[in-house]
Amino acid sequence: MNRDESKTVSAILGELSNTSHVQVRSSTELAAHVSEAADDEDEKRTGNGQGPLRRRTEYRAVRNAPRSLTLTPWEVIHAIGLGAASARQGAGRGLAEHWGSLRYIQALEANQGDYLQLSSEGRDLLRFYKATQSGEIGTGFASLLAEKLVRSRYPAHSVSVIPADVALKAGWTLRSASGTGARPEPLQRRPHFFVEAWQPGQPSKVLLVSSKGTHSSVQQVHKQLSTASAHVESVHIGPYGTVPYLLIGTEIPKKESLALHILEAPGTTVLQPSGETAEADLNLTLDQENRVADVVRQAEQERTTVPGFQVLPESFAWFSIVLARTEAATLTAFTGGGKPVAQYLTKEQGQRHFQHDVHANTDRLRDAGHRIHDIDFVGTDHIYRLNGTRVEAFSGLEKSLYMHLHNGRVNEYRHEVHERRDQWPSRATAKEWSAVSIRADGTVLAIRLQEE
């Protein structure tokens, strides 16, 4: 019996609320290694007759990068769950996939220096398949790091991390007409997130994030970040090559602590509609658009188009609505899915999968209410067995915020959640709950033993 198996379930749940650290690394040397890896990859591609990838190459070390990210394992699981609830919408399995984040309950632990590393359970790749684990854990850490960094730069703003694929589907078809044919390579490589810094009534600031994760060496991180530079090249907001971005790679060694490697292309892209000052109406239901997947590239006097996704200033108001309503879909999916989600999605975003309150692996939707830290939350319970012991997990949204989104009031949700952004309790446990995570968006994820 290994050490993880010998723990009681109560002890396992208790460790989810322990504050731990993850190293953050960003340097000129890292940028140089990534550029070398990109050159090596393009040389191989050229030798194979494929030609070099289109990339954004202006990345550099992150200014004022934190030396570490301080969090609890439960916060990481919360982030992974939110990402899964939204990223799987097109398949209609959002809620079931979201509960899949609970597979990481025993995967992370703090070492003697309180830095996070894989536990022996997390290293058991018969249960945690390597590619899935590195991808999901990497995405969770990347979203948390990106949010922290943007929040520190815009302290008067709220910050939303929005799945790029789901947002892009509101305007473009991301698959071939038949669903099986190959599309141009730049259309297959896309960033993972849009990060939006926003204030009610003001134009949002937006940047791209491409995230990777690996169990291999730091050299593999360099290769992955070089590939990530091609992912962010496919999306342009405003003129070609001007939208800022973050490249984040999560290194997950077998026995050492985790590390986050990050580079950025600094800048500011503001979604200020051309010739307009009026606030975008986020309550406006969007119709599916079928935009041409072309990007305008201007080089001196020559104007060309290349495959990709571009939002020009005349579409900034539309894109602001897309981002806000995609976030609303994510939040309502996290609470239980169904019709409240469908109202925020277009056809290509998977609207039809949410027309009925039915999801795989659950028959109870938004029927749970819990009072945690004297705050009422509405959401969904998930009862399951962990090492043979019954455990209850609850995902939800603060009640008044949920009612706004349930009734299609995105403007009202954003005004209220922005006013409350610094008021959420940060305590990692609560009465009757072993681990609690409450995010600035008003969502909660909590877990406890269930009495037999």
Side-chain angles (χ1 to χ4, degrees), residues 29-98:
E29 182 181 19
L30 174 62
H33 284 311
V34 172
S35 295
E36 291 171 3
D39 291 342
D40 290 344
E41 182 180 11
D42 285 341
E43 184 176 342
K44 292 177 183 177
R45 288 175 58 87
T46 300
N48 293 332
Q50 295 174 289
L53 289 175
R54 278 171 35 202
R55 305 174 189 271
R56 295 282 300 274
T57 58
E58 63 276 58
Y59 46 78
R60 63 189 71 173
V62 174
R63 65 188 189 279
N64 300 321
R67 298 186 63 180
S68 65
L69 190 62
T70 300
L71 39 66
T72 67
W74 193 235
E75 289 178 271
V76 181
I77 293 171
H78 191 167
I80 294 171
L82 268 173
S86 57
R88 304 301 194 273
Q89 284 171 1
R93 298 191 301 270
L95 187 63
E97 294 287 349
H98 139 56

Side-chain angles (χ1 to χ4, degrees), residues 284-295:
L284 179 66
T285 300
L286 293 175
D287 294 326
Q288 179 66 48
E289 297 204 13
N290 187 21
R291 295 176 172 236
V292 178
D294 281 345
V295 175

Side-chain angles (χ1 to χ4, degrees), residues 107-375:
L108 298 171
E109 67 179 8
N111 61 22
Q112 291 184 342
D114 288 332
Y115 279 85
L116 276 181
Q117 63 181 24
L118 286 180
S119 65
S120 58
E121 174 81 11
R123 293 191 296 270
D124 181 3
L125 296 183
L126 291 176
R127 297 182 61 184
F128 294 100
Y129 297 104
K130 188 176 292 187
T132 299
Q133 185 192 65
S134 60
E136 291 185 338
I137 289 180
T139 297
F141 279 113
S143 67
L144 291 169
L145 178 56
E147 181 183 0
K148 175 183 175 67
L149 192 62
V150 174
R151 197 178 299 281
S152 70
R153 293 179 178 177
Y154 303 107
H157 291 64
S158 291
V159 177
S160 300
V161 180
I162 298 157
D165 270 4
V166 182
L168 290 172
K169 286 176 182 177
W172 296 270
T173 300
L174 303 190
R175 50 187 169 77
S176 65
S178 65
T180 57
R183 303 201 77 196
E185 201 166 37
L187 303 185
Q188 300 176 41
R189 300 174 184 269
R190 300 181 291 272
H192 290 84
F193 305 113
F194 295 108
V195 180
E196 180 191 13
W198 55 269
Q199 293 176 300
Q202 300 295 321
S204 296
K205 300 173 176 63
V206 65
L207 58 84
L208 313 177
V209 177
S210 185
S211 69
K212 300 287 183 178
T214 181
H215 290 80
S216 189
S217 64
V218 69
Q219 287 74 27
Q220 181 63 22
V221 174
H222 301 157
K223 293 178 182 179
Q224 288 189 332
L225 291 181
S226 73
T227 301
S229 69
H231 284 245
V232 293
E233 206 283 335
S234 68
V235 174
H236 300 267
I237 302 173
Y240 178 87
T242 59
V243 62
Y245 61 81
L246 300 172
L247 309 178
I248 302 176
T250 302
E251 182 187 1
I252 313 172
K254 242 189 173 183
K255 296 186 178 179
E256 299 175 359
S257 58
L258 279 70
L260 303 178
H261 303 261
I262 180 170
L263 296 170
E264 72 167 346
T268 304
T269 291
V270 181
L271 298 181
Q272 176 66 62
S274 57
E276 299 180 26
T277 57
E279 178 181 359
D281 184 2
L282 308 181
N283 294 343
L284 179 66
T285 300
L286 293 175
D287 294 326
Q288 179 66 48
E289 297 204 13
N290 187 21
R291 295 176 172 236
V292 178
D294 281 345
V295 175
V296 176
R297 185 162 58 179
Q298 188 77 37
E300 296 181 353
Q301 301 302 315
E302 185 180 3
R303 183 180 184 273
T304 59
T305 59
V306 293
F309 310 96
Q310 186 169 29
V311 182
L312 294 172
E314 55 265 30
S315 297
F316 280 179
W318 167 80
F319 194 60
S320 297
I321 298 170
V322 168
L323 292 178
R325 294 183 71 83
T326 302
E327 180 190 33
T330 296
L331 299 175
T332 48
F334 190 72
T335 68
K339 292 180 181 178
V341 184
Q343 67 183 314
Y344 294 117
L345 299 174
T346 67
K347 177 183 177 181
E348 284 292 326
Q349 288 179 303
Q351 182 187 70
R352 68 184 178 88
H353 299 290
F354 291 87
Q355 294 292 348
H356 304 286
D357 284 340
V358 176
H359 259 291
N361 297 341
T362 182
D363 55 6
R364 297 172 54 184
L365 299 169
R366 297 179 311 282
D367 65 345
H370 291 290
R371 190 168 180 83
I372 301 173
H373 292 319
D374 293 323
I375 301 171

Side-chain angles (χ1 to χ4, degrees), residues 198 328 331-332 335 344 375-378 396-421 424 438-444:
W198 55 269
L331 299 175
T332 48
T335 68
Y344 294 117
I375 301 171
D376 290 321
F377 292 92
V378 176
L397 184 63
E398 190 277 334
K399 187 174 182 179
S400 66
L401 297 176
Y402 173 78
M403 292 309 299
H404 285 318
L405 295 183
H406 181 86
N407 293 300
R409 302 191 297 260
V410 184
N411 288 324
E412 291 79 359
Y413 163 80
R414 283 208 160 187
H415 275 81
E416 183 173 340
V417 80
H418 182 72
E419 290 178 357
R420 301 175 64 173
R421 68 189 184 282
W424 301 102
I438 301 176
R439 291 173 53 85
D441 55 18
T443 59
V444 65

